[in-house]
Amino acid sequence: MRLLERMRKEWFMIGIVLAIAGAKLEPSVGVNGGPLKPEITVSYIAVATIFFNSGLSLKTEELTSALVHIKLHLFIQIFTLAFFPATIWLFLQLLSITPINEWLLKGLQTVGCMPPPVSSAVILTKAVGGNEVSHRGIIITPLLLLLFLGSSSSVPFTSIFSQLFMTVVVPLIIGQIVRRYIKDWLERKKPPFGAISSSVLLMIIYTTFCDTFSNPNIDLDKFSLILILFIIFSIQLSFMVLTFLFSTRNNSGFTPADTVAIIFCSTHKSLTLGIPMLKIVFAGHEHLSLISVPLLIYHPVQILLGSVLVPTIKSWMVSRQKGVKLTRPTV
């Protein structure tokens, strides 16, 4: 199962490159008003499909299991949805005086506001043998985006929240209701939820970049792009080290397995939830694709970096667990 999931993610990253390349070759197909009619098919149907799919695949019983690890769950949510975006905002105050493209910098802030992914962080955590926790952020993320970047959106707040409600909250709830009635069938057949969401997401990415390449006034310099790549790698590695130090300090109360969950789940960001939300919050914005670039970069970096570190983290966790067993008094 893990091998299939890894292969799917590799193909998805290739799909992102092909989607952007396709948009570059023929942008007229996916622009607003074009043959695909993205103002309807993407803004409403595609986004609603992703969140209905999320509601259908989200195991309600995971909410109960999260309560068992309430301290772990709270730490991850506070770090990823409060500490992370606030730290990025402070960092961007320094970067704002550099020649880096301002819309890419705004994109970095959107990365900080994103919730953890339901898939990659959990897969890496399981690969090591750490604890699994439930992830929530669908409602908080739009609020964070509006808090840090509200002035960048050309859409009224009321329109943003009404569309969020209709295309995010309602499909998610309907998906959960439907799941209650077909739960046994879903467990038996195991539909390809990940593949469905990835396919729809590629369509959203394609149409987003069609708008970019059809606008001659938008230019992305390679210098800014290279710097953003380096910054993203540095941020992610630094936060992984930081969460490790936080969760292993004396009297933290976290087990080695908890630490593994914290390292991956606190520092990973969801592309599947993030891109549709950006499409809603920044609907009609001419620089939407540039704002999306840092998140598109962050996604493969977190998977590659996480995969490289899995053996080292697993070795550390096993040695710590053995150490704990050895120090326990015998009766």
Side-chain angles (χ1 to χ4, degrees):
M1 183 66 74
R2 289 175 189 164
L3 179 61
L4 290 174
E5 186 66 23
R6 183 182 297 177
M7 289 176 63
R8 183 183 70 79
K9 288 187 175 298
E10 289 174 354
W11 278 109
F12 177 62
M13 287 188 278
I14 294 172
I16 291 175
V17 175
L18 293 176
I20 296 174
K24 176 68 174 177
L25 291 173
E26 194 56 59
S28 60
V29 176
V31 296
N32 284 345
L36 285 181
K37 301 292 182 184
E39 61 274 17
I40 298 173
T41 58
V42 171
S43 297
Y44 293 94
I45 299 175
V47 175
T49 299
I50 284 180
F51 286 99
F52 172 76
N53 194 41
S54 296
L56 204 58
S57 60
L58 184 65
K59 296 179 180 179
T60 313
E61 55 269 23
E62 288 181 356
L63 293 171
T64 305
S65 67
L67 294 177
V68 178
H69 300 286
I70 187 67
K71 183 178 179 180
L72 171 64
H73 188 67
L74 283 175
F75 181 95
I76 290 173
Q77 296 303 321
I78 292 171
F79 188 94
T80 195
L81 294 173
F83 181 83
F84 201 127
T87 303
I88 293 295
W89 182 83
L90 290 172
F91 184 47
L92 291 181
Q93 304 313 302
L94 298 175
L95 290 179
S96 63
I97 62 175
T98 67
I100 300 176
N101 185 291
E102 66 170 311
W103 299 106
L104 289 180
L105 292 180
K106 290 181 184 294
L108 272 180
Q109 184 65 70
T110 67
V111 170
C113 297
M114 292 300 147
V118 178
S119 55
S120 62
V122 173
I123 290 167
L124 290 168
T125 301
K126 285 183 175 179
V128 176
N131 288 331
E132 183 180 351
V133 294
S134 176
H135 307 290
R136 303 294 175 267
I138 291 174
I139 303 300
I140 298 176
T141 291
L143 295 174
L144 290 173
L145 288 173
L146 293 174
L147 173 65
F148 288 106
L149 297 164
S151 59
S152 300
S153 177
S154 58
V155 181
F157 286 3
T158 52
S159 298
I160 290 173
F161 280 107
S162 63
Q163 189 171 350
L164 279 171
F165 182 76
M166 294 304 298
T167 60
V168 175
V169 179
V170 171
L172 191 69
I173 293 173
I174 293 175
Q176 280 284 277
I177 294 172
V178 172
R179 179 180 173 82
R180 285 177 175 268
Y181 293 97
I182 61 171
K183 179 181 175 182
D184 292 337
W185 181 85
L186 291 173
E187 293 297 329
R188 277 197 323 271
K189 297 296 184 180
K190 299 188 183 303
F193 293 118
I196 294 170
S197 292
S198 295
S199 300
V200 176
L201 188 58
L202 288 175
M203 179 183 175
I204 296 175
I205 292 170
Y206 169 72
T207 57
T208 298
F209 278 86
C210 281
D211 286 334
T212 297
F213 293 127
S214 64
N215 188 342
N217 298 322
I218 295 179
D219 181 40
L220 176 59
D221 62 289
K222 294 179 181 178
F223 173 75
S224 291
L225 197 58
I226 293 172
L227 280 180
I228 288 294
L229 178 60
F230 174 75
I231 290 169
I232 285 174
F233 180 84
S234 301
I235 287 173
Q236 193 166 155
L237 189 58
S238 298
F239 278 180
M240 290 181 84
V241 172
L242 190 62
T243 52
F244 176 80
L245 295 175
F246 277 166
S247 58
T248 56
R249 73 188 191 280
N250 292 333
N251 302 320
S252 68
F254 293 120
T255 66
D258 290 338
T259 296
V260 173
I262 288 170
I263 290 172
F264 289 125
C265 297
S266 298
T267 59
H268 282 212
K269 296 294 183 176
S270 176
L271 181 68
T272 305
L273 301 181
I275 292 296
M277 286 187 184
L278 291 180
K279 194 76 175 178
I280 294 172
V281 176
F282 296 98
H285 201 293
E286 65 174 349
H287 292 100
L288 172 59
S289 60
L290 295 186
I291 295 172
S292 305
V293 164
L295 185 56
L296 291 172
I297 294 174
Y298 197 96
H299 179 73
V301 169
Q302 70 186 9
I303 294 173
L304 293 173
L305 186 59
S307 299
V308 168
L309 293 175
V310 159
T312 303
I313 295 175
K314 185 173 185 177
S315 176
W316 169 85
M317 190 189 76
V318 171
S319 65
R320 283 295 297 270
Q321 287 177 331
K322 286 181 179 178
V324 170
K325 289 178 182 178
L326 289 173
T327 56
R328 285 178 181 168
T330 56
V331 179

